[in-house]
Amino acid sequence: MFELALQQSNPGCDIGCLTAAIRDCAKNGRWQQAVALLEVMQETHVLPHVISYNATISACNKGGQWQQALGLIPVMHDMNVMPDVITYGSAISGCEKCAQWQQALELLTEMPKYSLQPDVITCNAAISACEKGEQWQQALDLLKCMHAKEVLPDVITFCAVISACGKGGQWQQALGLVAFMHSRSLLPNVITYGAATSACEKGKQWQQVLGILQATQDMNLLPNVIIYNTAISACDKGAQWQRALGLLAIMRDAKWLPDVISYSAAIKACETCKLWQQAVSLLTDISEGQVLLDVINYSCMISACEKCEQWQPALDLLAVMSERNVLPNTITYSAGISACEKAEQWRMRTSSATSPQAVLVRNPCSGSMHPDCLWVCSRLQCCPMQQAIVLRSAFARRP
């Protein structure tokens, strides 16, 4: 349609055709072509109306060109085309997508100058811009202004403000907003509870997180994977490893498939509490669920072994990493080396044996690791300190 409109761009060209072409560009994210068509209208003395500009602003927004979109508003005034609520709403939405909260607030303030009353959609976009810019106080102030201007906030409004409070570490404010919604008979949805859960998790309020999880179920709402993951992470921060593992079991019973984030939080909870056996036992569940762990997850498990001076399981985990083509990093090697060193210190204190205990570890060096160093580690009968030396050598020769 863009090519057809350009072919027809003459002094007698129909404004409807060009506007339709701009809308088509907006739908397909072709903001440059939309701007070009608007310029064609001006050059051919076809006066664009507000719909033409709104469609062009929308096209710019979809292309992430918020500055280009804002620049069209002064052009409208120069062309004696009065912007409407949709114009400003679309421009504010463009600022929101790019986290330009200052520009969004300026546009919102500008609207009354032209006798335009912001609606709930426009206000939601401005609040969301503040949320993405981590400006919780600004988001809360906008909510208050909505009440003052008799603009009725909806669930989307509260979700954005609660999320903003969470990013600002204001978990009490977040919970207060949920309570306020109930007082106004505005029922929170799963997204609302998810935002509140995230706010409390960031504030290390695991009890509050579990309370929200229960409230979600009491409302006959089905908590999603994100809420469960947040709850498990909150339990980790509160050193509540049993509750973390319990939530993981509840997820499976509720037919929710735990993802890598779920297991990461559960492993971290076990590592925090020095529970190496529980952390390592999760490998079986992970294998059955076909979840691929990354180096951070394995590092946490090895760290749990290190804290309990379990050097053999630590080396076994290094072997598993090799089998699954997960490349160790500095933290992984450091934890493995420390586990071996701690075990050697304990052996020297408690044993008078002169010959080291034999160790058989699977080859942890296939694939992208270093076979000539770690192959020795897997084959030789050596004490923990010798294992540590081999690991140091492998670490020094890593890519």
Side-chain angles (χ1 to χ4, degrees), residues 246-273:
L247 287 169
L248 203 61
I250 290 173
M251 288 183 71
R252 291 191 292 265
D253 293 340
K255 308 303 180 184
W256 282 113
L257 186 64
D259 58 15
V260 66
I261 298 175
S262 314
Y263 284 109
S264 296
I267 291 170
K268 185 66 171 61
C270 295
E271 185 262 342
T272 300
C273 297

Side-chain angles (χ1 to χ4, degrees), residues 78-91:
D78 292 341
M79 298 294 293
N80 294 319
V81 179
M82 182 61 64
D84 58 13
V85 174
I86 296 175
T87 310
Y88 278 96
S90 182

Side-chain angles (χ1 to χ4, degrees), residues 1 38 56 58 152 177 179 229 248 260 321 338 343 372:
M1 183 173 286
L38 192 66
T56 308
S58 178
L152 190 64
L177 289 168
N229 289 351
L248 203 61
V260 66
M321 292 180 68
S338 180
D372 49 344

Side-chain angles (χ1 to χ4, degrees), residues 341-385:
E341 291 176 340
K342 285 183 177 180
E344 176 65 12
Q345 292 169 7
W346 179 87
R347 189 181 71 85
M348 294 295 290
R349 290 196 307 267
T350 60
S351 176
S352 59
T354 56
S355 58
Q357 182 180 2
V359 179
L360 181 60
V361 181
R362 289 167 294 177
N363 179 9
C365 51
S366 60
S368 55
M369 295 177 65
H370 303 282
D372 49 344
C373 284
L374 292 186
W375 184 86
V376 176
C377 183
S378 68
R379 297 292 179 177
L380 289 184
Q381 296 179 353
C382 53
C383 65
M385 185 54 68

